[in-house]
């Protein structure tokens, strides 16, 4: 099974589970199990072949699953636990149980499973700004996450290359900022080349409401990201007056870091809080909102007399302190709305965060440890081995990637909270998340290739990380085949998965990671040149 349960014991008796069998228990648990097992056509009833019980002594995601001669018994700590139990039950069935319309009778092997996750945050990040992925792809990703007991979908909704949310208050965001005339297609650091193909799209507020509800029903929480104050070209293409210079901007058609930056003055804060209200109104209960804070080029703040005067009026000594102040104001606004802010690690290094702000240390585990020691909750997100836009092999057979190498085995071997840290520091690591940046992931088929099966390894370490991942993965690939996932085969790409060839050696992670880690020691060093 993937992820592997905490405790699993085989029992001698098996149980024949017919299609249309009854499921009984508390209505919300019944609903969770029916949602998790659509192919079984389970019907609510009084005496179930599948019997559900709530045990509040268990954690909300914990469960016990017993399959014996009398049927299937699930004891769960909450709705999520019942949902996860049903996913485990599905993995006890043949691969065909993962096909559409698979309703039939199944023989379930006798088993006793006692299970709960190691980490509460088991995340996938999807960059829908660099390339837009329509709602149907997001729903499918939620389905695949649910099968792997992943429970946080971080949607990177805004960046230099696109804004992806309808706004009634600021309609130019979806009308102007959501598309660009062309996209860069050259390898990193090589002469520029463009596809000359328009690209864009956005989610309506109704779409976002639908995505959030669909995810919630599958024990997945959507974490929206509006990345500010840098990465702001798309916003400024629509509303240049919100920028530090007031100058016109275009939605960017190339990758890398832009100097474009929002102004920290009150109209920008008002703009962003209005956008948060629209976003939260659509998504419903949203415990976390990511506000970015990465790769900010503060030159335009330093060069602006108006912004400089504002900084002085606040009694702040540097533009770095002003950035910290700006992000804190946004985090305060989110707190008033019932959400915790999440930031990339530069914002921690700049200082001044609210204590309840969650830190994502993408530039390495060293800065994550320091954030944990400072009392922040931390979600492990280090480029190595958690940036799935990097190639799995240094080979031109791979589709073009920013760099290399991150293998399935690298992910499976990763410990989000290493044993060498103090118990207090380890306690602060609330989870682990893989990032899929999409500069070079332009379509859903490439998304599948980059995401799977590395996300299987992620799910495994996030849940507990137990023995023989490689052996379990071999068996699990049959489930992915049944689901129609176009994963990267262990031996390398199918001929049709090659695409534009990768150029090895340009960005090597064994060289990049020490450089990134070193930068985290300098509060003013926020611009990786990759
Ligand atoms: C990041 O990779 N800039 C978070």
């Amino acid at each position: 099974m993937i992820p592997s349960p905490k405790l699993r014991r085989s029992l001698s008796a098996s149980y024949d589970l017919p299609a249309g069998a009854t499921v009984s228990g508390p209505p919300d648990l019944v609903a969770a199990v029916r949602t998790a097992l659509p192919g079984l056509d389970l019907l609510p009833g009084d005496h179930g072949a599948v019997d559900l019980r709530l045990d509040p002594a268990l954690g909300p995601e914990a469960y016990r699953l017993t399959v014996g001669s009398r049927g299937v018994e699930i004891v769960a700590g909450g709705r999520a636990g019942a949902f996860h139990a049903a996913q485990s039950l599905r993995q006890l069935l043949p691969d065909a149980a993962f096909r559409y319309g698979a309703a039939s009778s199944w023989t379930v092997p006798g088993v006793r499973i006692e299970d709960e996750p190691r980490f509460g945050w088991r995340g996938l990040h999807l960059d829908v700004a660099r390339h837009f992925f329509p709602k149907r792809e997001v729903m499918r990703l939620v389905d695949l996450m649910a099968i792997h007991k992943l429970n946080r979908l971080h949607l990177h909704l805004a960046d230099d290359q696109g804004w992806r949310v309808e706004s009634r208050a600021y309609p130019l965001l979806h009308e102007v900022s959501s598309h660009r005339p062309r996209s860069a297609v050259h390898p990193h650091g090589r002469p520029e080349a463009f596809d000359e193909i328009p690209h864009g799209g956005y989610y309506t507020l109704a779409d976002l409401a639908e995505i959030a509800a669909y995810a919630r029903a599958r024990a997945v929480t959507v974490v929206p990201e509006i990345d500010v104050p840098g990465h702001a070209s798309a916003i400024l293409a629509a509303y240049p007056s919100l920028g530090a210079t007031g100058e016109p901007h275009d939605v960017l058609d190339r990758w890398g870091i832009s100097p474009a930056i929002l102004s920290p003055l009150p109209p920008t804060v008002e703009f962003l809080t209005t956008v948060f209200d629209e976003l939260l109104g659509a998504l419903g209960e949203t415990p976390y909102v990511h506000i970015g804070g990465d790769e900010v080029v503060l030159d335009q703040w330093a060069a602006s007399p108006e912004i400089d005067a504002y900084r002085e009026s606040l009694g702040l000594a540097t533009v770095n302190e002003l950035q910290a102040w700006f992000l804190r104001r946004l985090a305060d606004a989110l707190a008033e709305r019932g959400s915790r802010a999440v930031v990339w690690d530069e914002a921690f290094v700049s200082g001044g965060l609210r204590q309840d702000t969650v830190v994502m240390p993408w530039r390495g585990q060293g800065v994550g440890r320091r954030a944990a020691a400072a009392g922040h909750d931390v979600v492990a997100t280090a480029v190595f081995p958690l940036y799935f836009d990097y190639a799995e092999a240094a080979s031109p057979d791979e589709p073009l990637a920013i760099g290399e190498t991150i293998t399935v085995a690298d992910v499976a071997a990763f410990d989000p909270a290493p044993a060498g840290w103090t118990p207090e520091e380890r306690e602060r690591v609330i989870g682990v998340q893989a990032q899929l940046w999409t500069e070079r992931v332009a379509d859903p088929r490439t998304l599948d290739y980059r995401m799977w099966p590395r996300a299987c390894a992620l799910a495994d370490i996030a849940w507990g990380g137990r023995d023989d991942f490689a052996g379990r993965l071999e068996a699990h690939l049959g489930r992915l085949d049944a689901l129609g996932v176009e994963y990267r085969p262990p031996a390398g790409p199918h001929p049709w998965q090659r695409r534009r060839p990768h150029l090895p050696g340009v960005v090597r992670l064994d060289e990049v990671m020490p450089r990134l880690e070193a930068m985290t020691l300098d509060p003013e060093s926020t611009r990786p040149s990759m």
Side-chain angles (χ1 to χ4, degrees), residues 195 288 316 342 405 445 519:
D195 63 3
Y288 305 96
L316 301 170
V342 186
T405 311
R445 300 185 74 177
M519 290 179 66

Side-chain angles (χ1 to χ4, degrees), residues 149-183:
K149 302 187 177 82
L150 293 165
N151 71 343
R152 299 279 184 268
L153 176 61
H154 172 171
L155 289 176
H156 187 75
L157 292 167
D159 213 302
D160 292 301
Q161 295 82 7
W163 175 278
R164 304 293 174 217
V165 192
E166 176 193 15
S167 172
R168 303 209 174 123
Y170 297 95
L172 296 183
L173 286 174
H174 59 266
E175 290 169 10
V176 171
S177 310
S178 66
H179 55 99
R180 57 180 185 259
R182 61 178 193 173
S183 305

Side-chain angles (χ1 to χ4, degrees), residues 227 231 294-295 344 346 360 362 383 387 435 437 528 530:
D227 193 353
H231 291 275
D294 60 319
E295 299 178 320
W344 300 109
E346 289 96 326
M360 290 191 164
W362 70 280
V383 173
Y387 271 30
Q435 281 55 242
W437 301 101
M530 41 177 254

Side-chain angles (χ1 to χ4, degrees), residues 343-381:
V343 295
W344 300 109
D345 66 64
E346 289 96 326
F348 162 71
V349 173
S350 285
L353 292 180
R354 285 172 60 97
Q355 197 61 48
D356 65 352
T357 297
V358 179
V359 176
M360 290 191 164
W362 70 280
R363 293 183 296 173
Q365 278 192 293
V367 67
R369 184 177 186 178
R370 300 206 304 279
H376 289 287
D377 283 348
V378 166
V379 178
T381 50

Side-chain angles (χ1 to χ4, degrees), residues 3-20:
S4 184
K6 193 170 178 178
L7 205 138
R8 175 182 174 173
R9 205 153 34 87
S10 294
L11 302 178
S12 52
S14 59
Y15 182 69
D16 291 325
L17 184 64

